[in-house]
Amino acid sequence: MKVFAIMSDDQAFRSRAPVMFSRVMKRIGIRGVYVPFKVDPGNIGQAMEAMRCLNIDGANIGNPFKESILPHLDVLSEGANIIKAVNTVVRTGSTLKGYNTNAIGFMDTLEKAGFDTAGRNALIFGAEGAAKAVVFILNWLRCERVQIAGRYKKNLDTLLATLEGEAVRLKDISTSPCTANILINASSASSPDEAPKFASIIERLEIKACELVVDLNYGHKNNFWKKLAQSRGIPFIDGLTPLAHAARRTLLLWTKIDVEAGEFIRALESDNREA
């Protein structure tokens, strides 16, 4: 019997990962369970010790622990070491290794969409954990120009201290045509109710060069990123697709079994039908 988990704050109980992974494991015949654990602030180190003591085979790491977990792991993958953020932990014996499957999952998403980033311009909104994974993979894929728009200078400075990119201000984006070929939302906001001023800026963007809009969130009502894409006739991808691709990579690390991303999407769609 395999035991997997998601470790986060209260968000662990709202995550769709337990349903998604449980259904996929059942479909492909893996005897295992996937459970959510709420970890109190400052206790991520003890949670990692619990992984060893309780023989938990693998864990997804949610906010706010993707960065604070780093000192409590024995080994980091090359990507996780560069990004300085972990969303997947694999236990081998007493050794815990951290990975960032969000990055590789985003790469798989772009490949599936047929979007080649080499020599192109990208604009990312948000400067925290999810944005780091996106910036890393865009540079890896030889994106010509990577711009990051964030509300907090401290977060931008932290991101750009280790990853290549260019900080831009929202007010500059809103007053001149955007030259990005791809827009990626890595912030937490996708609904006007969550950030009305931000939504107003996004809805007015001039994005004549844009060929793809990606929102890493999912399930947000009145999604203004989707509205922007549809109003300009641009393809749109919401967060379920990158989530499915990242989940595929995670399960492969945990079990050495490669399951197509479509299985994870079908598991999430089944959850929607039953809700």
Side-chain angles (χ1 to χ4, degrees):
M1 172 73 72
K2 297 284 187 180
V3 180
F4 306 106
I6 180 169
M7 298 185 181
S8 182
D9 53 16
D10 287 329
Q11 297 174 76
F13 301 124
R14 299 194 298 272
S15 171
R16 297 172 75 180
V19 168
M20 178 178 65
F21 277 101
S22 296
R23 287 183 172 174
V24 170
M25 288 191 295
K26 183 177 180 180
R27 285 180 185 177
I28 65 175
I30 295 176
R31 292 186 63 251
V33 295
Y34 185 110
V35 293
F37 288 117
K38 175 186 175 182
V39 179
D40 291 329
N43 287 348
I44 191 63
Q46 292 92 318
M48 291 301 97
E49 285 303 313
M51 275 194 71
R52 295 184 178 96
C53 296
L54 299 174
N55 293 312
I56 296 173
D57 296 280
N60 284 130
I61 306 302
N63 292 325
F65 303 115
K66 292 183 179 182
E67 298 166 353
S68 60
I69 193 178
L70 298 182
H72 307 290
L73 300 172
D74 302 300
V75 188
L76 294 178
S77 70
E78 180 182 0
N81 189 48
I82 295 172
I83 299 167
K84 303 301 182 188
V86 161
N87 78 306
T88 297
V89 176
V90 178
R91 182 186 62 81
T92 305
S94 62
T95 299
L96 301 180
K97 183 172 182 178
Y99 297 83
N100 195 305
T101 64
N102 288 331
I104 198 74
F106 187 72
M107 182 186 75
D108 292 338
T109 298
L110 294 179
E111 182 179 347
K112 187 71 174 178
F115 188 88
D116 184 0
T117 60
R120 316 301 288 283
N121 297 336
L123 174 59
I124 302 153
F125 293 87
E128 298 188 72
K132 290 181 177 181
V134 170
V135 172
F136 168 77
I137 211 65
L138 288 175
N139 282 310
W140 182 274
L141 295 173
R142 305 186 309 281
C143 196
E144 178 69 22
R145 188 182 191 191
V146 178
Q147 295 179 300
I148 306 103
R151 288 184 297 171
Y152 303 111
K153 184 177 184 299
K154 179 181 177 181
N155 292 340
L156 284 167
D157 290 344
T158 299
L159 187 154
L160 295 174
T162 56
L163 297 167
E164 186 176 348
E166 172 189 341
V168 294
R169 296 182 299 180
L170 277 175
K171 69 175 185 177
D172 293 336
I173 295 170
S174 62
T175 56
S176 59
C178 175
T179 61
N181 305 114
I182 179 172
L183 297 184
I184 303 118
N185 176 43
S187 78
S188 61
S190 295
S191 167
D193 294 337
E194 298 162 339
K197 291 183 179 179
F198 185 33
S200 179
I201 290 172
I202 298 305
E203 288 171 354
R204 296 197 309 270
L205 284 182
E206 289 187 49
I207 53 171
K208 293 181 180 179
C210 187
E211 300 169 30
L212 181 65
V213 177
V214 182
D215 179 14
L216 297 184
N217 298 322
Y218 59 87
H220 292 233
K221 294 181 179 179
N222 302 317
N223 188 310
F224 55 79
W225 300 101
K226 183 177 183 180
K227 180 180 178 182
L228 173 72
Q230 290 179 334
S231 68
R232 310 298 199 277
I234 299 169
F236 172 77
I237 297 173
D238 78 358
L240 288 181
T241 299
L243 173 64
H245 283 289
R248 172 197 165 220
R249 294 286 184 168
T250 292
L251 190 65
L252 180 60
L253 288 169
W254 285 342
T255 67
K256 311 300 186 211
I257 299 173
D258 192 3
V259 180
E260 66 170 14
E263 283 287 343
F264 294 91
I265 293 175
R266 283 188 284 275
L268 291 168
E269 289 174 343
S270 296
D271 188 32
N272 283 337
R273 288 194 295 270
E274 294 175 12

